[in-house]
Amino acid sequence: MVATPESLPLPAAHEEPRFRTCASTGLKIHLAAQTLIKANAVTAVVFLAIGGLFGLLVALTRWPAVHLLPADWFYLVLTAHGLDVLLLWIIFFEIAILYFASAVLLGSRIAAPRVAWAAYALMLIGGLITNVAVLQGGSTVMFTSYTPMMAAPNFYLGLIIFAVGALVALGVFFGTLVVARDERTYEGSVPLVTFGAITAAIIAVFTLASGAIILIPTYLWSLGLISMPDPLTYKLIWWGMGHSSQQINVSAHVSIWYLIAAVVLGAKPLSEKVSRMAFFLYILFLQLASAHHLMVEPGLSSEWKVFNTSYAMYLAVLGSMIHGMTVPGAIEAAQRANGYDKGLFGWLRHAPWGNPAFAGMFLSLIMFGFIGGISGVVLGTEQINLIMHNTIYVPGHFHGTVVAGTTLAFMAGTWLLLPLIFQREIIWPRIARWQPYIFAIGAGGISLFMMGAGTLGVARRHWDITFADASMSFSYPPAAFLMMGLNGICALFAATGGIMYILTVVATVLWGKRIADGQAVQLASPKARVVTEYGSIEHPKIPGTIILTVIFFVAFVLYYYVNWKYLAEVWPMR
Amino acid sequence: MAIAPPADRMWWRTPVARPEIIWIVVSFLWGLVMFFTMIYWHAYGKQNLSNETYRTTPMKYSAKVDEMVGKFQVRDDNGIPVVRPPAGGDVYMLARTWMWYPHIELVKGQSYKFHFSSLDLQHGFSLQPVNVNLQVHPGYEHVLTFTPDESGEYSVVCNEFCGLGHHLMLGKIYVVEK
């Protein structure tokens, strides 16, 4: 879908692109791009509200003492939850990020705004069609819709339309890069954040294409036109979308981390080369991520599984581990240069914790690394998967990545987007200030407690772990019930943080005090007196970050081998 | 700044600081360690998943299950047969909406060749409280050898969503001393 310069519709003479200059950042902003960013971001937030509500209902049902919904509603709502947050909230917001990282950061006009609106319309229509199909009740197949289970044809049709719309939006993004280069709107190489966004977009092409490749035959099958796609093949290709698309999220939220650190603290990457290489590793070693979902599947060899989950050396993991040092390292260097240079952690203590953009970003960084990242590698280890596959450990892991990591980072980014793009002052700053913490407690908690319950064997996607209506009796250990209860309580925190976010964002967009075109807002945090103990601006020293990195590494190694120990205790099998 | 083009246009020529290089090397080596740990476990670990799989059909597979039940049934659990196959023999487990069929009795310390397949949808074999989890597909017969090392009553939960009665699906495996 990459648009070539020739195919781009040139603006007619009577509609010269109109720009404004942002007084706070000096960025030149194309008004058409600005409106598109607003539309995609607002739609994303609406789907977050819907999908988040569904998520709360799921967690309250899985809280044994509450057990809110009846079984049929539980499975329906769980299907809708996955669809609305994992696909619609995240991809709509990512499209907003891509337009921002291309048109706004490069100071360019957006290529083909009308095509971008068509893409938006396709995505919205597709999302609505699938939502209606699920809510009508005939498509309770979970978000993964594994064959031979069949949903209503519209379930697949909506997803296909959505994927096509998103591919068109990616075409607009790539077109904008070409326009910016042709019209020389920037000097040298693209900024790091744009580079990260390009990574995300390239991966997105691969994943959305995988989705279309498998969903089109599945759609035809649901219409009765062709025979059923083989369940194993379906899974292999479906997860080419389902899991590889998580690498879009990683690229996008890591870009947001760098963006927020740059805007709030003036941080610059320690090394452009290293940070860009780390992004590039995501593209090169975008694992055949399906393999992570096929570890205990029949019909695939161990060699295939071991190789494809690790590519023999875990180079995509390496990419994330690098960002895990370079992002806090850049923050530390910037804080020290800003004068907060006392001791090992003075830079961290004096970080702008009251600024929700920074607080959300840093919490996202920590939780993505410690919870989502480590658990993902452990879960993706061929043999360890035997004691985790399809237990609630799996949602524990991906709530650590997608909720505590991606969603929290996107929320943090929103606090910058509101003044910069929507030109509104945040209407309730005190609520915004507390929002990242409440949401982080909730998101971190649900991840950890689901992982805990999963370690004790609790099944995911399961309505009743007491088996009250089954003909035989069995009950998970009492500790598992405690974990599921704590998960429910944390879900209440996450929901509270989510509501604080949604209400504040919506109210700000509607009624926030307007920021006039020429008016600057204070985004960067104030600087202290400049005294350098550690290094210099040219050669920053980052002792605090080194200590944090060592703590991370020790936690990673210990947790990895603890799980091998758990594995060694189960029935021998070969 | 990360939101502006790199100040140094030759950014790929600037040297990388020591801590970054060390961390890249450590992370890379750790990736290798994790890769080789999986291979090591294939050679020396006791819990590895077999790759033995055959194509089958629901009809062919249920015929084998019925044959086993006919030969080795010892009692029943509320109408579901409990079979006690000979040690070292084949055990055919069938998954369908919404039951595991039949129930199995094994002897501690003996090895059994387990077969898994589904009659209809995908199901998840989740042996509790041991906590071993396998995916069961229709059309594929997965074969692996289990050696139960502790006696007791074990439950087989379904952990792949298989429709509205998913949470009713509960099978039993009994491990006895002899």
Side-chain angles (χ1 to χ4, degrees):
Chain A
M1 284 311 302
V2 182
T4 58
E6 291 75 28
S7 71
L8 288 169
L10 290 166
H14 63 276
E15 47 168 0
E16 274 296 304
R18 293 195 301 135
F19 288 88
R20 70 176 175 89
T21 301
C22 174
S24 316
T25 55
L27 290 165
K28 201 173 130 204
I29 299 172
H30 183 202
L31 295 180
Q34 176 172 295
T35 317
L36 278 159
I37 293 167
K38 285 182 186 174
N40 280 284
V42 166
T43 311
V45 171
V46 171
F47 280 115
L48 175 68
I50 299 168
L53 172 67
F54 288 145
L56 178 63
L57 294 174
V58 168
L60 290 179
T61 307
R62 296 221 58 172
W63 184 346
V66 180
H67 212 223
L68 184 68
L69 298 176
D72 51 348
W73 275 99
F74 169 75
Y75 292 124
L76 184 152
V77 161
L78 182 51
T79 306
H81 170 58
L83 166 73
D84 284 327
V85 282
L86 195 60
L87 199 69
L88 301 180
W89 142 248
I90 287 185
I91 305 263
F92 269 110
F93 202 89
E94 274 162 357
I95 298 299
I97 293 174
L98 291 183
Y99 292 159
F100 179 85
S102 55
V104 175
L105 288 187
L106 298 179
S108 163
R109 67 181 171 87
I110 194 165
R114 284 205 197 96
V115 178
W117 281 109
Y120 170 79
L122 284 174
M123 287 168 66
L124 185 59
I125 291 165
L128 292 176
I129 289 176
T130 303
N131 257 300
V132 169
V134 171
L135 294 175
Q136 281 173 336
S139 303
T140 300
V141 293
M142 298 295 131
F143 177 51
T144 45
S145 58
Y146 290 151
T147 62
M149 201 172 264
M150 192 197 278
N154 277 351
F155 176 88
Y156 309 107
L157 180 65
L159 292 176
I160 294 165
I161 295 174
F162 177 83
V164 170
L167 280 167
V168 173
L170 291 171
V172 173
F173 168 75
F174 289 119
T176 305
L177 296 178
V178 175
V179 168
R181 176 149 284 262
D182 272 11
E183 297 178 359
R184 298 176 193 283
T185 59
Y186 64 98
E187 293 279 311
S189 307
V190 296
L192 178 62
V193 172
T194 309
F195 189 88
I198 295 171
T199 312
I202 291 171
I203 297 169
V205 172
F206 167 80
T207 64
L208 292 166
S210 300
I213 286 169
I214 195 60
L215 288 171
I216 289 169
T218 312
Y219 172 56
L220 298 177
W221 165 64
S222 72
L223 290 172
L225 299 176
I226 60 168
S227 62
M228 182 185 79
D230 175 73
L232 200 55
T233 314
Y234 174 91
K235 246 177 144 168
L236 179 72
I237 306 176
W238 193 91
W239 281 110
M241 169 180 75
H243 201 120
S244 307
S245 63
Q246 303 316 312
Q247 230 114 354
I248 317 176
N249 304 344
V250 175
S251 306
H253 76 227
V254 173
S255 303
I256 296 268
W257 294 346
Y258 282 113
L259 172 79
I260 292 174
V263 173
V264 176
L265 300 172
K268 51 179 188 206
L270 295 174
S271 156
E272 290 276 354
K273 183 163 47 178
V274 170
S275 294
R276 280 167 203 247
M277 254 327 276
F279 274 121
F280 196 51
L281 285 173
Y282 289 147
I283 301 180
L284 288 183
F285 299 95
L286 168 76
Q287 290 132 356
L288 189 47
S290 311
H292 294 290
H293 298 262
L294 303 168
M295 308 288 252
V296 296
E297 228 75 11
L300 295 162
S301 73
S302 289
E303 290 83 354
W304 185 90
K305 291 171 183 170
V306 167
F307 185 78
N308 283 298
T309 51
S310 66
Y311 273 172
M313 41 203 154
Y314 284 103
L315 289 175
V317 174
L318 176 66
S320 288
M321 288 175 80
I322 293 173
H323 290 304
M325 173 191 245
T326 58
V327 175
I331 290 171
E332 178 172 0
Q335 278 287 83
R336 289 189 186 282
N338 290 346
Y340 299 103
D341 197 24
K342 233 179 172 177
L344 285 174
F345 291 107
W347 61 278
L348 197 56
R349 260 199 317 281
H350 293 108
W353 294 108
N355 178 337
F358 176 82
M361 174 261 145
F362 206 85
L363 291 167
S364 157
L365 166 70
I366 295 290
M367 292 198 293
F368 178 77
F370 276 89
I371 303 177
I374 294 178
S375 67
V377 174
V378 170
L379 185 59
T381 304
E382 193 214 1
Q383 295 97 333
I384 293 178
N385 194 260
L386 279 165
I387 58 171
M388 292 177 170
H389 175 77
N390 268 2
T391 66
I392 203 162
Y393 190 96
V394 179
H397 152 66
F398 71 69
H399 282 73
T401 55
V402 177
V403 184
T406 306
T407 298
L408 186 50
F410 287 3
M411 286 172 165
T414 311
W415 303 123
L416 290 186
L417 220 54
L418 289 173
L420 287 181
I421 296 294
F422 287 85
Q423 294 179 282
R424 301 275 185 172
E425 274 178 29
I426 293 171
I427 193 163
W428 303 310
R430 285 170 67 96
I431 294 183
R433 184 188 171 115
W434 285 102
Q435 187 275 334
Y437 297 97
I438 307 279
F439 189 77
I441 290 171
I446 57 174
S447 309
L448 288 172
F449 291 122
M450 281 197 278
M451 282 161 59
T455 305
L456 296 167
V458 174
R460 70 185 289 199
R461 297 173 165 175
H462 200 281
W463 180 66
D464 180 18
I465 57 170
T466 64
F467 297 91
D469 302 330
S471 62
M472 306 301 293
S473 71
F474 167 67
S475 185
Y476 288 101
F481 283 81
L482 178 67
M483 299 273 189
M484 294 310 291
L486 291 169
N487 173 55
I489 292 169
C490 290
L492 291 175
F493 273 94
T496 308
I499 292 168
M500 288 162 78
Y501 168 79
I502 287 159
L503 291 184
T504 311
V505 169
V506 171
T508 300
V509 168
L510 294 177
W511 306 297
K513 201 173 143 213
R514 257 180 205 289
I515 299 168
D517 270 358
Q519 187 188 343
V521 285
Q522 179 67 29
L523 292 169
S525 74
K527 292 179 173 137
R529 67 200 164 78
V530 180
V531 183
T532 41
E533 262 176 53
Y534 289 93
S536 63
I537 293 178
E538 291 76 38
H539 301 286
K541 285 224 162 53
I542 49 167
T545 300
I546 293 171
I547 289 174
L548 291 178
T549 309
V550 169
I551 293 172
F552 169 78
F553 187 64
V554 170
F556 194 166
V557 173
L558 285 179
Y559 187 69
Y560 180 74
Y561 284 110
V562 161
N563 280 287
W564 281 105
K565 174 80 174 60
Y566 289 153
L567 175 70
E569 286 163 3
V570 309
W571 288 4
M573 72 186 97
R574 61 192 151 79
Chain B
M1 292 227 293
I3 55 171
D8 184 354
R9 285 193 71 153
M10 301 292 208
W11 51 267
W12 56 89
R13 292 224 195 125
T14 48
V16 178
R18 266 271 286 275
E20 279 186 283
I21 292 179
I22 294 171
W23 179 235
I24 292 168
V25 171
V26 168
S27 304
F28 176 72
L29 293 177
W30 173 235
L32 286 182
V33 168
M34 292 194 295
F35 172 68
F36 283 108
T37 304
M38 289 191 280
I39 294 171
Y40 167 87
W41 199 263
H42 272 283
Y44 300 102
K46 290 200 166 54
Q47 290 81 11
N48 283 291
L49 189 60
S50 146
N51 298 150
E52 193 179 342
T53 305
Y54 303 95
R55 282 272 185 191
T56 186
T57 63
M59 228 198 295
K60 274 204 303 214
Y61 191 77
S62 32
K64 288 187 195 170
V65 175
D66 290 339
E67 193 194 330
M68 173 190 72
V69 173
K71 271 198 212 156
F72 304 118
Q73 179 170 359
V74 286
R75 57 173 196 278
D76 72 308
D77 274 348
N78 304 332
I80 300 168
V82 179
V83 298
R84 185 181 165 127
D90 293 291
V91 179
Y92 291 91
M93 266 219 115
L94 180 111
R96 65 183 163 91
T97 46
W98 290 295
M99 69 189 307
W100 294 100
Y101 182 88
H103 293 182
I104 318 281
E105 185 173 291
L106 308 172
V107 175
K108 181 184 155 184
Q110 300 293 328
S111 296
Y112 296 87
K113 216 168 168 190
F114 268 76
H115 299 243
F116 297 96
S117 193
S118 162
L119 269 199
D120 37 48
L121 305 172
Q122 291 187 40
H123 295 281
F125 171 89
S126 178
L127 182 68
Q128 297 300 334
V130 182
N131 200 14
V132 168
N133 305 278
L134 304 168
Q135 191 79 12
V136 182
H137 281 258
Y140 291 90
E141 182 176 343
H142 193 184
V143 188
L144 63 115
T145 304
F146 270 127
T147 314
D149 56 6
E150 230 172 314
S151 56
E153 180 186 321
Y154 296 92
S155 296
V156 181
V157 175
C158 177
N159 69 6
E160 182 57 77
F161 174 68
C162 57
L164 289 184
H166 168 50
H167 49 274
L168 303 175
M169 203 169 157
L170 191 66
K172 287 287 172 187
I173 293 179
Y174 305 94
V175 179
V176 296
E177 288 290 332
K178 63 184 180 71

